[in-house]
Amino acid sequence: MRNYLVLCINGKEFHVKGEDAFLPLSTFLRYGQKACGTKVVCEEGDCGACSIILGKVDNTGENISYKAVNSCIQYMYQLDLAHVITIEGLKPNKSNVLNLVQKAMVDCHGAQCGYCTPGFVTTLCNLLDEKSKLSEIEIKDGLTGNLCRCTGYESIIKAGLSLDNSSSQFSLNKLFPDKSILEKLTSYKNDDVQLEFENKIFFSTCDLKQAVKFRAEHNDAIVIAGGTDVCVNMNKRSYEPKSLLSLARIKELSQIKQSSNILEIGANVTLTEIEKTVKELLPQWYDNLILFGSPQIRNAGTLVGNIANASPISDNIPLLSVLDAIIEVVGPSGTRQININNFYKGYKKLDLASHELITKVLLPLPDTSDTLKLYKVSKRKHMDISTFTAAILLKRKNNKIELAKLAYGGVGPVVYRLAKTEAYLLGKDFSLSLFEQAGDIAVSEITPISDVRGSLVFRNLLAKNILLKFYHECADERELVCQK
């Protein structure tokens, strides 16, 4: 049992314990290591000024996978056996020579006040490490989570477009050869870790049974995964959990795989990993996922964390609801499976005992003949909390509706399945008048409130109009097919 963390920062090994183990990474870097190139502004993962590149040993144990994340909402105890690369670590051979990205930012005047520049550079370095030549859309999408207050985006995009790494001049694995970092990290891979400071305790293990045991002994334990919600509350709302449990090193929970028509997603699988899997398999979800926070958030956040957070305005839960996803949980008495539509008992209330852990999601995939559409209404397209979300799944044969499933978010204390509306649609002809009438029934099934994101009246209108939008989209698609 270790009572300290092991991680590398810019290739150098660190052993961290005590108070330092319970700090945000950005604080540890700036105040503990004087690595002040990593900036802090929002402390909630919205601006990207604190972006660093985080490397973790993959499931094979033979490679390190690097992704840009926000260091302000990554706490040190989340980083056991990780490699952190900051702006200071991106100089070739520890020289004073600029790397490709840094030079491009200078040449294209991509830095104005310079405060946001380190975050842009680290994020672009991660993009360039994955692909030698970047398109404008790839740059814009990749930098969604980086905010420039001087509005210097045009120069930054020009810098990205000028990059050409076809000869592999820049490589994170060249800067920090895999072998040496792997040896430092994997030699500790089987250790359990328990950290204590004042009245706080953190536990991490690679054994699911040990995790269940800790959970049973610490019923107040918060399971920390990506931390994209919990850590914001810790930074902004003085939330201080006394017990923390990480499942990050349990290999069987880090897998995403398809078996027949079921997609199995482990508790550690990030939203970015899901994106890659569903881009071809379930493109409707992919299009929705890329609007879910910034790349830095999706690189850290997990689907299971999103489910456990139990937000009634979740972007993902309506989809899981209409596909009747199964939540698998484990406790001292064994494993059980719960349909997600039975999982939420009220606002932030789950069918999950204090001694149980969510281990995976089993997602039945829709038939190719099904029509599935997902909707998100928010004040801006990217990186915004939803006002209203919806998922609609329909099966038709000879214009008759054989199957209808509808789920709305943002209209009550939980995401609602609209059972009455589904029953009304079933067996009827697919027509505009049908969906107009269904909209009235949908409104009768929801209980929206007025808040800063939208009024009750607005949400009721959305509940009706989203069905009309669905109808017209389906009618247009059918017309296009007929024309072909």
Side-chain angles (χ1 to χ4, degrees), residues 141-162:
D141 286 346
L143 296 178
T144 302
N146 293 82
L147 177 64
C148 174
R149 288 160 183 80
C150 301
T151 63
Y153 293 110
E154 184 176 354
S155 300
I156 293 167
I157 291 166
K158 283 181 179 177
L161 289 171
S162 73

Side-chain angles (χ1 to χ4, degrees), residues 88-128:
E88 291 87 354
L90 290 170
K91 295 179 293 185
N93 302 317
K94 300 182 180 179
S95 66
N96 290 322
V97 178
L98 300 178
N99 71 33
L100 285 180
V101 175
Q102 292 166 324
K103 188 173 186 308
M105 288 286 280
V106 172
D107 292 345
C108 297
H109 308 287
Q112 293 189 37
C113 80
Y115 204 83
C116 69
T117 305
F120 275 99
V121 169
T122 52
T123 307
L124 274 171
C125 282
N126 184 223
L127 293 173
L128 194 66

Side-chain angles (χ1 to χ4, degrees), residues 43-44 72-75 77-78 220-245 297 301-302 304-306 308-309 348:
E43 289 190 301
E44 54 189 33
C72 68
I73 52 172
Q74 286 285 306
Y75 274 62
Y77 46 67
Q78 295 174 260
D220 62 339
I222 297 298
V223 180
I224 188 87
T228 55
D229 185 73
V230 172
C231 296
V232 173
N233 288 328
M234 290 163 65
N235 287 349
K236 294 291 189 178
R237 297 176 182 172
S238 301
Y239 176 55
E240 291 190 23
K242 303 304 179 187
S243 303
L244 294 136
L245 169 63
I297 294 294
T302 65
V304 164
N306 190 225
N309 184 40
K348 299 283 185 176

Side-chain angles (χ1 to χ4, degrees), residues 23-86:
L23 294 174
L25 171 59
S26 55
T27 301
F28 181 82
L29 291 172
R30 290 178 59 80
Y31 295 98
Q33 302 306 310
K34 309 303 180 188
C36 295
T38 300
K39 306 301 183 185
V40 176
V41 182
C42 69
E43 289 190 301
E44 54 189 33
D46 268 351
C47 73
C50 69
S51 297
I52 55 91
I53 301 171
L54 181 63
K56 292 188 176 181
V57 181
D58 66 15
N59 275 345
T60 69
E62 298 176 357
N63 300 290
I64 296 178
S65 175
Y66 289 102
K67 291 292 179 187
V69 300
N70 297 301
S71 63
C72 68
I73 52 172
Q74 286 285 306
Y75 274 62
M76 292 299 290
Y77 46 67
Q78 295 174 260
L79 305 175
D80 190 47
L81 307 186
H83 181 210
V84 173
I85 302 176
T86 71

Side-chain angles (χ1 to χ4, degrees), residues 10 13 22 37 46 56 87 143 193 207 231 272 281 292 308 315 323 326 329 349 362 382-383 406 429 447 462 470 482:
N10 297 327
E13 186 174 338
F22 290 85
D46 268 351
K56 292 188 176 181
I87 187 72
L143 296 178
V193 178
D207 184 347
C231 296
T272 296
L281 189 64
F292 188 106
D315 291 356
L323 293 180
I326 300 298
V329 305
K349 294 180 180 178
L362 304 172
H382 291 276
M383 288 185 63
L406 294 84
D429 286 334
T447 58
L462 286 172
F470 176 82
C482 292

